[in-house]
């Protein structure tokens, strides 16, 4: 009997030190900027991506991982070992990557290759992946690991503030008129995930009020927050993310955090000035 290998893709926005510590393997969604294609977080660091976004006329596009890439990677593992693979995918509501992995699974060995839709993005997705990897390290069986994953998917909350309406307009999330008015009036849109899709939740006037409301929503929805690993991410503003961390520490007594910068695969759709918090609801 081989071991269990956890795979994810770079839309989980986990930093390399976490990936290495827990043996998490990544597949790579690509982003194309000014005609050149990069593997997000491998060939293109988030900091450089946001510098590129400031250049005139830059309109990044992303591409899902295709079935052939999954097949090549997974086939190598299945042939060279007795190991089993659990691949946790970026939300199928936002990308076709999950479907690509399912095609590869069906072409290879569905008994040894499990594909799970995280219904999540960025560090919300990353926390599910991290919980799975910790379960593997703890010696849990495949069925137990899958149960851990499914519980996290069911309970994980994504609450985030998007800094610039223009990126949402390009993605079809808001109209051009709403984007123009939102930017002009300094309105911050608070969004959340419902069944793996991004849904507008509330509006706030100014970033300070939006952050305050974000913590209120944590209080309303969260469960024993001080005992959880809380996820925080940001796009091009680590200082702003650390302020949110301090507010969460003061309000809820939390001490465990995963803080990460949003990579290009997600950042292509939300832009700079975005902040998110991720936490669990009651079981």
């Amino acid at each position: 009997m081989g071991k269990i290998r956890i795979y994810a893709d770079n839309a989980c926005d986990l930093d390399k030190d976490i990936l290495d510590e827990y043996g998490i393997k990544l597949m790579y969604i690509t982003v194309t900027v000014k005609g050149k294609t990069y593997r997000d977080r491998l060939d293109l660091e988030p900091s450089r991506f946001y510098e590129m976004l400031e250049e005139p006329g830059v309109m990044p596009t992303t591409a899902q991982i295709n079935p052939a890439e999954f097949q090549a990677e997974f086939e190598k593992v299945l042939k060279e070992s007795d190991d089993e693979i659990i691949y946790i995918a970026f939300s199928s509501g936002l990308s076709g990557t999950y479907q690509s992995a399912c095609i590869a699974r069906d072409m290879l060995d569905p008994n040894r290759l499990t594909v799970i839709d995280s219904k999540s993005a960025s560090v919300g997705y990353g926390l599910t992946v991290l919980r799975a990897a910790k379960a593997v390290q703890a010696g849990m069986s495949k069925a137990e690991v899958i149960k851990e994953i499914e519980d996290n998917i069911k309970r994980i909350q994504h609450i985030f503030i998007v800094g610039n309406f223009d990126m949402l307009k390009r993605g079809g999330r808001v109209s051009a008129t709403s984007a123009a008015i939102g930017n002009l009036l300094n309105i911050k849109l608070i969004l959340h995930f419902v069944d793996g899709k991004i849904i507008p939740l509330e509006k706030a006037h100014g970033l300070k009020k939006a952050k305050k409301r974000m913590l209120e929503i944590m209080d309303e929805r969260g469960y024993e927050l001080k005992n959880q690993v809380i996820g925080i991410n940001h796009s091009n503003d680590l200082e702003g993310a650390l302020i949110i961390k301090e507010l969460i520490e003061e309000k809820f007594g939390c001490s465990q955090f995963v803080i990460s910068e949003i990579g290009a695969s997600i950042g292509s759709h939300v832009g700079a000035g975005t902040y998110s918090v991720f936490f669990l609801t009651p079981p």
Side-chain angles (χ1 to χ4, degrees), residues 242-256:
L242 293 176
I243 289 171
I244 293 172
K245 174 180 178 284
E246 290 173 5
L247 293 171
I248 292 172
E249 286 174 327
E250 292 171 7
K251 188 174 181 67
F252 304 114
C254 301
S255 60
Q256 302 176 79

Side-chain angles (χ1 to χ4, degrees), residues 46-281:
S47 57
R48 174 59 186 143
F49 170 71
Y50 292 109
E51 289 175 0
M52 295 167 75
L53 270 190
E54 294 177 1
E55 299 172 15
V58 170
M59 299 281 283
T61 58
T62 57
Q64 68 190 54
I65 305 165
N66 64 52
E69 291 177 80
F70 282 117
Q71 184 178 1
E73 174 66 23
F74 295 156
E75 189 171 32
K76 180 173 63 176
V77 173
L78 297 176
K79 282 185 174 180
E80 294 177 356
S81 70
D82 295 326
D83 295 351
E84 296 188 271
I85 296 169
I86 298 176
Y87 169 64
I88 308 166
F90 180 30
S91 175
S92 65
L94 300 174
S95 170
T97 292
Y98 167 73
Q99 284 80 9
S100 291
C102 289
I103 291 169
R105 174 201 62 200
D106 294 343
M107 294 175 67
L108 294 169
D109 187 347
N111 292 318
R112 292 175 60 198
L113 174 52
T114 301
V115 178
I116 299 174
D117 182 358
S118 73
K119 298 185 178 181
S120 298
S122 197
V123 174
Y125 166 25
L127 290 179
T128 297
V129 174
L130 184 56
R131 183 169 170 183
K134 288 179 177 179
V136 170
Q137 282 199 353
M140 291 188 186
S141 68
K142 181 179 176 181
E144 290 171 329
V145 173
I146 291 172
K147 188 175 180 180
E148 292 284 307
I149 294 167
E150 290 174 343
D151 181 70
N152 227 71
I153 292 170
K154 181 176 67 175
R155 296 170 58 202
I156 192 73
Q157 290 284 301
H158 306 58
I159 309 297
F160 58 107
I161 304 163
V162 173
N164 192 313
F165 275 72
D166 292 335
M167 301 297 282
L168 289 177
K169 178 187 71 176
R170 282 167 41 190
R173 302 292 174 189
V174 298
S175 69
T177 301
S178 295
I181 294 172
N183 287 332
L184 182 65
L185 299 180
N186 192 29
I187 292 173
K188 300 300 180 183
L189 190 60
I190 302 173
L191 306 99
H192 65 159
F193 267 50
V194 177
D195 198 29
K197 296 181 180 179
I198 298 171
I199 305 294
L201 180 61
E202 298 179 8
K203 294 176 183 176
H205 289 275
L207 184 59
K208 186 175 181 180
K209 288 183 178 178
K211 288 181 178 179
K212 181 176 182 290
R213 181 59 188 140
M214 192 160 62
L215 265 67
E216 289 173 351
I217 295 168
M218 285 185 72
D219 199 12
E220 292 164 8
R221 298 186 181 184
Y223 173 74
E224 296 185 352
L225 291 168
K226 68 178 181 180
N227 298 324
Q228 292 189 30
V229 177
I230 304 297
I232 301 174
N233 68 14
H234 66 95
S235 51
N236 202 34
D237 185 12
L238 176 58
E239 184 177 345
L242 293 176
I243 289 171
I244 293 172
K245 174 180 178 284
E246 290 173 5
L247 293 171
I248 292 172
E249 286 174 327
E250 292 171 7
K251 188 174 181 67
F252 304 114
C254 301
S255 60
Q256 302 176 79
F257 294 88
V258 172
I259 301 174
S260 176
E261 186 163 21
I262 299 169
S265 58
I266 303 293
S268 293
H269 304 285
V270 299
T274 294
Y275 310 89
S276 313
V277 293
F278 309 93
F279 57 93
L280 295 177
T281 58

